[in-house]
Every structure is written in structure tokens, then in C-alpha cells.
């Protein structure tokens, strides 16, 4: 392996782009350097300060493209009212609409017998986002994506290493991706995976990859993580992806990055929360991105059982893993940062995740990667541990619990639940000094 320093002059533009960090030429409004020497009532149009101008008037008419899109969207409800819509097959798992029982629109899609047991419906073909079609983005959005380098990827060898690191160290904690399905597309230049998802995977993978090309002079991979984060966020902000499952997957992984209050980037290391997280910007941390991912997931009905839906078996398994991953993130983040939980289990009827849900066989493609028993048991036990976290938060740390007297029965209940978890923890992930390994240690650190 060559010394990275000897390759500095030969680095391609992609690697040079990888090392770029945020520009600091814009001065914050409250910075002393931004204050004028004397009071003035005129502001330069090149300044970052806001100013009033006729140019600031909003548009009062739609463009032809916008008018066509609006006319198309007006047809959506008519699509929902077509006969047998409630029993229509779901061909794309990422294009599912959820209509809860309390929705008035659900009355329009009932079949002739008034059936209301269906809550997952295929999105009409008229509902499409830009989905990676550059000709549907305006010039400004295209310019932003290019300036962020959203379409740039590291050299293939480094990219492969980042993907491998992700599936080795990150995916067991957040098993939201069907690895066999992803890798088939990753190796196929004619049908590549979602760019948004790939940039998010590179972000998460950069936190656990030790390749020197990712490191700055201090041995930190933070600059690389910032680059991947900005690329993924630019794609997300541009609505570049229209597959809802893919969006949820990417949002979960974007939580591997946050910014501190002074703009200094703080990232998760070895999947553990650090003390720096308590000072993180509330819109750029794991708490924020987990909440956004949950909202998008609930919009597709991932919080509801899909056993009776028209989804394929592999997709049903993946949806269960995604939902229980969101549940674990919700509880663990609430405990780590002292925030309220977001997911109310009374609103969900998703069956408990099982070992079978880690089988990734597709109809025409057998699974290329057999489930790792240690990884599977780690996640199953982590879910159960997070259930106990939720119980402890509700009984001992919620606002409602402060209003009532401390109940000894509540404390006993929590202690018994933890003792039962420890007693029934499988040996494969039970931490023992003589059989120490990373996954058992991580699990019991949470315990």
C-alpha cells in the first residue's frame, strides 16, 4: 500500500472534493467584524444582511411546469377512489400511502363491503417527485447540488471500504438496509443505488473507517463526515429522492453527524453518544434526524402492521426492521440526551421483530449475505432493552411522574424487567470477561 502523502499530487478531483470543508467567508450577523463603522440606512446588495426591494416580491403566477404539476396533483384523490383500490397490489415498497382509520379519505377507498382493515395503499402513478431527474430541478437547485458536490463519489476503492465499514460496524445497530439488494445495485453501473442513500452510507461509514485518506492532520475523519453530510443534505433538501423507504433509511444514517453550538462538528464515534452531544445544535443532530425519519415513516404507515398488506415478503421484513430501528433510536436518544420520546407504542401494532426478519431472500435473488447470528441477537436484545428504557423514562423521568409520589412498585417493576432481561440474554451476546467481544460489550454498556 502506497504512502498517502506520496499520492497528494496525484489525487483526483473527487478526493480533493472530499477534503473540502465549509467556507468561512460569510460573516455572522452578530459578529463584531460585521458591524459597520458608523450608522447607515443603506445596505449593499452583496451583503448577507436582508434588505427590502421590489426584487423580493414573491411570484404571483405559476410557471407552466408548476401549473401542470398542480393539475396532476388534483387528480390524486380521484385515483384513490378507483374501484378495488384498497386491494391493489403494492409494486413499489417506497411508494405507499397510509390512511389511518380516522381519516375521512379512508371512507372513499372502502370496498363494497365497507372493509376498513386496509391502511396501506399504493401511491397513484401521478404522485412523483423529481426522483433524480435533473431536468425537473430549476437552475438554482442544480447549481447548489453541483457546488455541494452532491454527485461526486470518492475513488472506487475508498468507496468500497466505506461501504464495507458501514455494514460491519453501523448496520448491526441500525439494520434498515437490505444488504443483498443494495449491493446488487452498487455493483451494477446501469442500475446504481439511490445517490441520497449512498452519500448517507458514506457519511456513517466514515465514522468507523480508519483509511488515512479520510483523516486530517490530527487523525480525525470529521472533515470527511462533513463533506458527505452536506452532499446528502443537499440531495434531501432538493427532494431528489421520491422513494419513501429510501428517504427514511437515509435520514436515519444522517444522524451520524451533528454540529456543535460554535459550528464545530461533532460526530458519533464507535456508535456511542459522547458528552458533546448535549451541546449540539437541535436541528443538526441525531435527535432531529431521528424525529424526521419517524415522521416520514409514519406517513407511509410503517408504524402499522403490514402482514395483511400487499407488500412482498422481503419488504414486510425490511419494514419491520426499519420501524423497530426507529423505536430503538427514539428510546436511546431520549435517554442519552434527556429528551422526550416521540413514538407512542399505543399508536403502533407492528409485530415484534424476529430472527426471520433478517432473511433477505428476494423472489428471484437468493440472499448473498447470510444473517450474522451475533448481529441478529444483538439487535433483538437491544430492542427489548429499549422497551425497558421507555418504561423507566415513563415511570421515573417523565413530567407526569414528577407530579405523583415516587411509587416503590414502579421502581421494583423496572428492576425486575432489567433482571429478567439479563437472565434471559442469549450467551452469544452476553458479556463475560472471558468471552469479551464488541457487540456484547456495547449491549451491556446500554444495560
Amino acid at each position: 500500500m502506497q504512502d498517502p502523502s506520496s499520492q497528494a499530487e496525484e489525487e483526483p478531483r473527487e478526493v480533493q472534493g472530499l477534503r473540502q470543508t465549509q467556507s468561512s467567508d460569510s460573516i455572522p450577523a452578530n459578529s463584531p467584524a460585521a458591524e459597520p463603522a458608523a450608522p447607515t440606512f443603506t445596505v449593499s446588495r452583496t451583503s448577507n444582511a436582508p434588505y427590502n426591494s421590489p426584487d423580493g416580491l414573491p411570484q404571483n403566477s405559476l410557471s407552466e411546469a408548476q401549473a401542470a404539476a398542480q393539475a396532476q396533483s388534483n387528480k390524486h384523490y380521484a385515483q384513490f377512489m378507483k374501484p378495488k383500490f384498497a386491494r391493489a397490489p403494492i409494486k413499489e415498497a417506497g411508494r405507499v400511502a397510509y390512511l389511518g382509520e380516522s381519516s375521512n379519505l379512508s371512507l372513499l377507498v372502502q370496498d363494497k363491503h365497507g372493509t376498513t382493515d386496509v391502511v396501506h395503499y399504493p401511491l397513484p402513478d401521478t404522485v412523483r417527485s423529481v426522483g433524480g431527474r435533473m431536468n425537473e430541478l430549476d437552475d438554482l437547485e442544480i447549481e447548489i447540488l453541483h457546488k455541494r458536490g452532491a454527485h461526486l463519489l470518492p475513488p472506487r476503492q475508498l468507496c468500497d471500504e466505506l461501504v464495507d465499514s458501514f455494514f460491519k460496524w453501523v448496520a448491526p445497530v441500525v439494520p434498515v438496509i437490505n444488504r443483498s439488494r443494495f449491493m446488487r445495485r452498487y455493483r451494477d453501473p446501469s442500475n446504481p443505488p439511490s445517490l441520497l442513500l449512498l452519500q448517507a452510507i458514506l457519511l456513517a461509514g466514515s465514522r468507523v473507517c480508519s483509511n488515512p485518506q479520510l483523516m486530517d492532520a490530527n487523525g480525525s475523519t470529521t472533515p470527511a463526515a462533513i463533506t458527505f453530510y452536506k452532499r446528502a443534505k443537499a440531495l434531501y433538501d432538493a427532494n431528489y429522492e421520491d422513494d419513501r423507504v429510501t428517504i427514511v433509511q437515509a435520514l436515519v444514517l444522517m444522524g451520524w453527524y451533528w454540529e456543535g453550538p460554535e459550528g464545530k462538528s461533532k460526530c458519533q464515534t464507535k456508535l456511542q453518544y459522547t458528552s458533546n452531544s448535549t451541546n449540539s445544535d437541535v436541528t443538526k443532530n441525531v435527535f432531529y434526524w431521528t424525529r424526521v425519519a419517524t415522521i416520514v415513516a409514519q406517513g407511509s404507515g410503517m408504524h402499522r402492521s403490514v402482514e395483511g398488506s400487499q407488500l412482498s415478503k422481503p419488504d414486510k421484513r425490511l419494514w419491520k426492521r426499519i420501524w423497530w430501528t426507529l423505536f430503538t433510536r427514539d428510546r436511546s436518544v431520549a435517554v442519552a440526551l434527556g429528551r422526550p420520546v416521540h413514538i407512542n407504542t399505543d399508536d403502533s401494532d407492528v409485530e415484534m421483530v424476529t430472527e426471520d426478519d433478517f432473511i433477505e431472500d428476494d423472489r428471484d435473488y437468493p440472499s448473498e449475505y447470510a444473517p450474522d447470528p451475533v448481529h441478529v441477537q444483538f439487535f433483538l436484545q437491544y430492542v427489548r432493552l429499549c422497551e425497558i428504557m421507555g418504561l423507566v423514562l415513563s415511570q421515573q423521568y417523565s413530567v407526569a411522574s414528577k407530579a405523583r409520589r415516587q411509587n416503590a412498585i414502579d421502581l421494583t417493576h423496572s428492576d425486575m424487567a432489567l433482571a429478567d432481561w439479563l437472565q434471559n440474554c442469549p450467551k452469544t451476546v452476553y458479556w463475560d470477561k472471558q468471552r469479551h467481544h464488541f457487540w456484547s460489550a456495547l449491549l451491556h454498556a446500554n444495560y
Side-chain angles (χ1 to χ4, degrees):
M1 180 175 178
Q2 288 182 308
D3 184 355
S5 62
S6 67
Q7 300 178 359
E9 297 181 358
E10 300 177 359
E11 283 187 336
R13 293 179 61 188
E14 293 90 337
V15 182
Q16 296 173 12
L18 183 67
R19 300 188 182 278
Q20 291 177 357
T21 56
Q22 183 177 7
S23 173
S24 58
D25 55 358
S26 60
I27 302 176
N30 294 330
S31 170
E35 295 180 1
T40 178
F41 295 100
T42 60
V43 181
S44 170
R45 295 197 177 195
T46 60
S47 169
N48 290 325
Y51 62 94
N52 300 104
S53 166
D55 295 335
L57 284 171
Q59 294 181 352
N60 56 13
S61 62
L62 297 177
S63 65
E64 291 185 7
Q66 291 171 331
Q70 187 177 68
Q72 194 77 290
S73 67
N74 292 336
K75 301 177 182 178
H76 296 345
Y77 292 120
Q79 294 288 327
F80 278 93
M81 290 183 283
K82 284 186 176 181
K84 298 182 180 181
F85 182 77
R87 304 297 176 183
I90 299 176
K91 299 178 181 178
E92 298 179 66
R95 294 180 42 75
V96 175
Y98 167 71
L99 297 178
E101 292 85 349
S102 63
S103 171
N104 292 334
L105 190 57
S106 66
L107 300 175
L108 303 177
V109 297
Q110 293 178 7
D111 58 26
K112 62 182 180 182
H113 302 293
T115 300
T116 58
D117 62 324
V118 177
V119 292
H120 299 94
Y121 306 89
L123 278 175
D125 293 334
T126 54
V127 183
R128 285 284 179 183
S129 182
V130 291
R133 295 186 292 273
M134 290 294 291
N135 60 342
E136 295 188 22
L137 296 173
D138 61 38
D139 293 340
L140 178 60
E141 290 172 320
I142 294 174
E143 182 182 359
I144 292 173
L145 290 179
H146 280 300
K147 284 190 173 182
R148 285 298 186 199
H151 295 87
L152 294 177
L153 296 173
R156 185 68 184 201
Q157 184 177 358
L158 178 58
C159 205
D160 292 345
E161 188 173 344
L162 286 166
V163 171
D164 290 341
S165 296
F166 166 79
F167 282 109
K168 182 178 180 180
W169 296 110
V170 180
V173 181
V174 285
V176 296
I177 297 175
N178 183 316
R179 184 179 185 182
S180 298
R181 189 181 294 175
F182 173 84
M183 293 305 296
R184 279 198 302 271
R185 297 188 61 179
Y186 180 71
R187 300 188 187 107
D188 185 359
S190 63
N191 185 30
S194 161
L195 184 57
L196 170 63
L197 180 58
L198 181 54
Q199 296 286 17
I201 287 176
L202 298 180
L203 161 62
S206 70
R207 305 313 304 149
V208 292
C209 182
S210 57
N211 190 304
Q213 290 179 284
L214 299 170
M215 298 180 181
D216 62 12
N218 298 318
S220 171
T221 61
T222 295
I226 293 174
T227 300
F228 293 129
Y229 171 79
K230 288 183 177 180
R231 292 173 180 175
K233 189 174 184 298
L235 292 165
Y236 173 73
D237 290 340
N239 293 321
Y240 192 82
E241 180 60 59
D242 66 357
D243 186 291
R244 297 183 178 187
V245 173
T246 300
I247 293 172
V248 173
Q249 293 168 327
L251 289 171
V252 170
L253 301 183
M254 288 172 70
W256 254 258
Y257 165 89
W258 64 75
E259 284 186 359
E262 297 178 358
K264 296 179 180 179
S265 303
K266 306 295 182 183
C267 302
Q268 290 172 294
T269 303
K270 294 301 182 183
L271 314 178
Q272 292 282 37
Y273 303 115
T274 67
S275 59
N276 291 322
S277 62
T278 59
N279 297 323
S280 301
D281 188 303
V282 295
T283 63
K284 296 176 182 177
N285 64 7
V286 63
F287 177 79
Y288 173 82
W289 290 115
T290 299
R291 295 307 192 262
V292 176
T294 302
I295 291 170
V296 177
Q298 289 174 328
S300 291
M302 288 188 178
H303 62 298
R304 300 298 303 272
S305 172
V306 292
E307 290 304 312
S309 74
Q310 300 298 313
L311 283 171
S312 66
K313 188 64 176 178
D315 287 325
K316 289 178 180 179
R317 290 168 171 165
L318 180 61
W319 276 44
K320 284 176 65 177
R321 281 162 41 190
I322 291 176
W323 178 250
W324 284 109
T325 296
L326 290 171
F327 175 82
T328 61
R329 304 302 281 171
D330 180 63
R331 276 8 184 207
S332 60
V333 169
V335 170
L337 304 184
R339 307 284 173 85
V341 298
H342 186 204
I343 294 176
N344 184 351
T345 54
D346 290 340
D347 297 328
S348 174
D349 58 358
V350 178
E351 297 79 4
M352 177 54 66
V353 63
T354 66
E355 294 181 14
D356 289 344
D357 293 317
F358 290 83
I359 299 174
E360 298 184 338
D361 290 335
D362 277 326
R363 180 179 301 175
D364 301 323
Y365 302 95
S367 177
E368 184 179 349
Y369 303 93
D372 186 313
V374 174
H375 293 170
V376 171
Q377 283 303 321
F378 167 85
F379 187 74
L380 296 181
Q381 298 307 313
Y382 187 44
V383 170
R384 295 183 176 93
L385 195 56
C386 286
E387 287 186 303
I388 302 175
M389 288 184 193
L391 178 67
V392 173
L393 287 170
S394 174
Q395 294 182 346
Q396 301 182 38
Y397 294 100
S398 66
V399 174
S401 69
K402 306 297 181 183
R404 62 176 185 266
R405 290 185 176 182
Q406 193 66 265
N407 193 333
I409 296 179
D410 290 343
L411 292 173
T412 303
H413 189 191
S414 300
D415 288 342
M416 290 179 63
L418 285 169
D420 181 71
W421 178 88
L422 185 62
Q423 183 177 358
N424 293 284
C425 184
K427 291 184 178 180
T428 53
V429 288
Y430 186 95
W431 185 84
D432 185 274
K433 189 174 182 179
Q434 305 301 324
R435 300 192 308 271
H436 172 81
H437 62 78
F438 175 79
W439 296 108
S440 64
L442 180 58
L443 187 62
H444 283 257
N446 281 276
Y447 166 79

